[in-house]
Amino acid sequence: MVKIYCLSVLYKGPTTATWLKSGFELQSFSFFQRGSIQEFMSFFCKTIVERTIPASRQSVKEGEYLCHVYVRADNLAGVMITDHEYPSRVSHTLITKVLDEFAARIPAANWPNLEERDVAFPQLNTYLAKYQNPREADAMTKIQEDLDETKIILHNTIQAVLERGEKLDDLVSKSEGLSIQSKAFYKTARKTNSCCNFT
């Protein structure tokens, strides 16, 4: 079954990305794994936004997941994590729609100083639920033609997105956004090459 796991809006600052709003659909994972998987998806989203230049789109394959990112010229960024079956074009169309709505509701001057708990944008969870079926987005995809103007870069692993010499293991161990439990979960998953496959 086609799946969207995460839909997020971030602001790409000069050195780091900050969360503005995020939604997750993790019911297909075991209850005990959800917290760690959500932390890793959040970590992955933040990392990929920080490594994407403004006014560009990327899709990154990592294990059984596809992570789609769009950083607008004004540094507002959207990320969507899906399975491989979910169409990339629909993902990027939905990200564009979410970012346009977010920008229309929340002034750009506020983005650098916002914290996720202060942002009222319930539409994100509505879209996350509604577009689990990509056919729902067909009409929207037909209307949206401006994606043709922007090339979507596809990478086969997160390693291709990281800066030269950077290693995912090092980023995970240094991350303040991941709990000790999630770091241990990552190491175990890495050894067994299971779970989130964000390795």
Side-chain angles (χ1 to χ4, degrees), residues 180-192:
I180 292 169
Q181 177 186 350
S182 289
K183 288 178 184 179
F185 178 77
Y186 169 80
K187 287 178 185 169
T188 304
R190 187 116 164 95
K191 284 179 189 165
T192 60

Side-chain angles (χ1 to χ4, degrees), residues 85-179:
E85 304 300 313
Y86 203 93
S88 292
R89 183 173 171 79
V90 174
S91 299
H92 282 285
T93 301
L94 181 54
I95 291 169
T96 301
K97 182 176 177 57
V98 166
L99 294 181
D100 288 348
E101 280 194 31
F102 188 92
R105 292 180 189 276
I106 297 162
N110 297 350
W111 301 341
N113 304 313
L114 284 174
E115 291 191 30
E116 186 170 8
R117 68 177 179 265
D118 301 324
V119 177
F121 189 64
Q123 297 84 341
L124 192 74
N125 286 322
T126 304
Y127 285 132
L128 184 61
K130 181 177 181 180
Y131 292 110
Q132 285 295 330
N133 178 355
R135 281 186 223 128
E136 289 288 333
D138 279 352
M140 179 178 69
T141 306
K142 285 173 189 155
I143 294 166
Q144 182 99 10
E145 293 301 327
D146 61 350
L147 280 184
D148 295 333
E149 300 165 16
T150 311
K151 184 180 177 189
I152 300 169
I153 300 164
L154 178 63
H155 296 286
N156 284 321
T157 66
I158 183 64
Q159 201 59 48
V161 178
L162 299 178
E163 293 167 16
R164 183 177 219 139
E166 248 183 334
K167 290 193 169 82
L168 186 59
D169 290 354
D170 295 340
L171 289 176
V172 167
S173 66
K174 289 183 212 169
S175 173
E176 294 174 12
L178 293 171
S179 66

